Amino acid sequence: MRAITLLIFTSFSFFSCVQKQEKKIISDVLSSEEIKDSTNIKQLFDSALTEGKSYEWLRDLTQNIGGRLSGSTQAQKAVEWGEKLMKEVGLDSVWLQPVMVPHWVRGEKEIANYTVNGKQKNVAICALGFSIATPSEGITAEVIEVKSLDEARVLGVKMQGKIVFFNRAFDNTEIHTFKAYGGCVDQRVQGAAVCGEFGAKGVIVRSMTNSIDDFPHTGTMIYGDLPEKKYIPAAAISSQAAEILSADLKQNPTLQFYFKQSCKNLPDAPSFNVVGEIKGSKTPENIFVVGGHLDSWDLGEGAHDDGTGIVQSLEVAYLFKKNNIKPKNTLRVVFFMNEENGTRGAKKYAELAKLNKENHIGGLESDSGGHTPRGFSIDANAANTDLLISWKKLLAPYGLHDIEKGGSGADISPLKSDNVTLVGYRPDSQRYFDYHHTSRDTFDKVNKRELELGSASMAGIIYLMDKYLYNNTPVKP
């Protein structure tokens, strides 16, 4: 027992010495002003982890409203929810910004199957956003499997009367899973436009995910310049169904695939961005935006995509107020509408900012899920990019090591200019595409602590941007 006690005491003494040494190193490395910043950032994290509101806000949004596809009743309820919540947080002003949005509806649950060796196999399937419906009886046809748009184009008229099956999987050697997504998503977006030109009967696409599971992933598709008479129905099948279908086609190349969907495009509908702000204490004419998108796909509850981004963005303002941090520039929180199938909210926001001659100097977007924070990607001029990267020493203690040049986000990118510093919040992405655009994107998949760490991470970098980002040259309209 004495030996164990001695070991514990020795270990405690060792770690105490290490902590003292770490503090000495920090004091040697950081200036007095940076030590003050480090203290303030620590307080933001402490507040988020002990008095944060984001998790309960997310519970309310997902459990009481659910999926929020643009133009839907749920999207309108989310607008009302967002406006009320911003007022409760005590922002200096809150308003709704009108925008017309696309209104696509899914209709009845989709059906798909095919028969091999006398046995019917049901297929997990969902219509892609903006797709037309099949005829009421569905469609049946032979299947041609391809791995790329170029491979489909080479087939040309051989696609006529067939269902084209795009089966390019994620490259799982990509550590950053958004790169794997980017390497595959063109087949989902453009597949129907390419195949409709040559008289294909329909398109089915392997779901956009790293995993092999039985959950189909929806998402946007387009017909591009295709004449309406050549529009064909497009759907996604689960990755597991894609694996099985591909194997069955090798043994039964003439098998008949059947699917039925009743989706439709309705006239554009009125909606809103929800906007609130804390007025700047020194230069209120300069604006930092922090936001995410309020809409979501309809299959799940829109938790990771992008309920987490919404509540984290508002929690940045909440944490500032909680810690009596008065931004010198105006801090504006925006819940953008219609990111998923049109980015109309983002375009309207940028249009009005230009019309009103508003001077945006920076923006931060959270639209990569609510998992463990990893860092930020920066879309800015060279000087401001270097400035933000220099803050690694202040942010690395919180796991924010990946601070590098890159993209920002779909909703703030219309504000891009040499004089505007745009930042994307980057959490760990390894689980994101398990849930993205599926029925699995639900509140229970979000970890409370990870979510709160993300809010604090965003608050930390906004605190630094507000204090040190001096490139305030107005953007000329």
Side-chain angles (χ1 to χ4, degrees), residues 301-312:
E301 297 171 356
H304 278 290
D305 189 18
D306 184 32
T308 54
I310 286 297
V311 297
Q312 287 172 329

Side-chain angles (χ1 to χ4, degrees), residues 68-80 96-103 268-274 294-295 335-338 344-345 348:
R68 308 168 295 279
L69 193 55
S70 292
S72 68
T73 301
Q74 291 84 356
Q76 178 56 33
K77 287 181 179 179
V79 167
E80 295 165 5
L96 300 182
Q97 200 172 70
V99 57
M100 296 298 291
V101 298
H103 190 188
D268 286 357
S271 191
F272 303 90
N273 294 324
V274 185
L294 190 54
D295 64 305
F335 295 172
F336 293 94
M337 181 55 70
N338 182 232
R344 299 273 189 89
K348 176 58 70 173

Side-chain angles (χ1 to χ4, degrees), residues 29 121 130 167 197 239 319 345 459:
V29 171
K121 295 189 177 183
F130 290 137
N167 190 30
E197 178 65 34
S239 55
L319 291 173

Side-chain angles (χ1 to χ4, degrees), residues 109-405:
K109 183 174 175 56
E110 304 88 342
I111 300 170
N113 57 65
Y114 60 93
T115 300
V116 290
N117 301 323
K119 181 181 179 181
Q120 179 175 294
K121 295 189 177 183
N122 294 322
V123 175
I125 191 169
C126 66
L128 294 177
F130 290 137
S131 175
I132 63 168
T134 61
S136 58
E137 69 276 12
I139 61 174
T140 303
E142 290 183 8
V143 177
I144 300 178
E145 180 179 351
V146 296
K147 295 294 177 67
S148 69
L149 296 173
D150 286 342
E151 190 178 337
R153 290 186 183 102
V154 169
L155 286 172
V157 294
K158 292 179 181 177
M159 290 187 277
Q160 190 167 359
K162 304 292 197 328
I163 293 172
V164 180
F165 167 36
F166 286 91
N167 190 30
R168 183 163 80 258
F170 270 29
D171 178 359
N172 277 336
T173 66
E174 289 282 7
I175 302 304
H176 299 290
T177 62
F178 280 87
K179 290 183 179 179
Y181 176 73
C184 286
V185 74
D186 63 339
Q187 60 190 333
R188 186 198 77 200
V189 175
Q190 301 175 50
V194 169
C195 299
E197 178 65 34
F198 295 101
K201 203 168 185 178
V203 162
I204 53 175
V205 182
R206 182 191 184 101
S207 283
M208 302 290 109
T209 178
N210 298 92
S211 302
I212 303 298
D213 59 37
D214 218 21
F215 296 91
H217 295 231
T218 192
T220 296
M221 54 79 61
I222 61 173
Y223 291 108
D225 297 328
L226 203 64
E228 191 169 346
K229 64 182 180 181
K230 292 190 175 183
Y231 286 9
I232 57 175
I237 64 173
S238 70
S239 55
Q240 180 171 294
E243 293 281 294
I244 295 170
L245 176 59
S246 182
D248 284 339
L249 282 169
K250 290 177 174 61
Q251 301 298 319
N252 305 271
T254 61
L255 69 80
Q256 299 280 307
F257 189 95
Y258 167 83
F259 76 104
K260 177 184 176 182
Q261 57 192 40
S262 57
C263 47
K264 65 173 67 173
N265 288 288
L266 301 175
D268 286 357
S271 191
F272 303 90
N273 294 324
V274 185
V275 187
E277 64 183 25
I278 299 174
K279 211 71 176 172
S281 59
K282 294 183 179 179
T283 51
E285 68 276 10
N286 297 330
I287 301 168
F288 281 105
V289 167
V290 58
H293 65 87
L294 190 54
D295 64 305
S296 77
W297 285 104
D298 55 320
L299 296 178
E301 297 171 356
H304 278 290
D305 189 18
D306 184 32
T308 54
I310 286 297
V311 297
Q312 287 172 329
S313 297
L314 183 56
E315 192 151 63
V316 170
Y318 166 80
L319 291 173
F320 270 52
K321 290 180 70 65
K322 185 76 178 174
N323 290 280
N324 200 30
I325 295 173
K326 294 178 171 58
K328 69 175 185 179
N329 305 288
T330 292
L331 175 59
R332 185 176 290 177
V333 179
V334 184
F335 295 172
F336 293 94
M337 181 55 70
N338 182 232
E339 186 274 344
E340 291 293 4
N341 59 343
T343 61
R344 299 273 189 89
K347 292 168 184 172
K348 176 58 70 173
Y349 182 87
E351 174 192 324
L352 292 175
K354 183 177 180 180
L355 182 68
N356 296 326
K357 295 182 170 58
E358 292 180 335
N359 184 34
H360 286 76
I361 61 173
L364 171 63
E365 183 169 338
S366 174
D367 185 19
S368 298
H371 298 297
T372 303
R374 290 286 182 256
F376 303 94
S377 57
I378 308 160
D379 186 3
N381 62 43
N384 287 348
T385 298
D386 290 344
L387 176 63
L388 268 65
I389 290 173
S390 75
W391 298 335
K392 274 189 181 184
K393 58 188 174 184
L394 291 168
L395 299 172
Y398 306 98
L400 298 165
H401 300 282
D402 302 332
I403 303 175
E404 56 197 12
K405 191 170 182 62

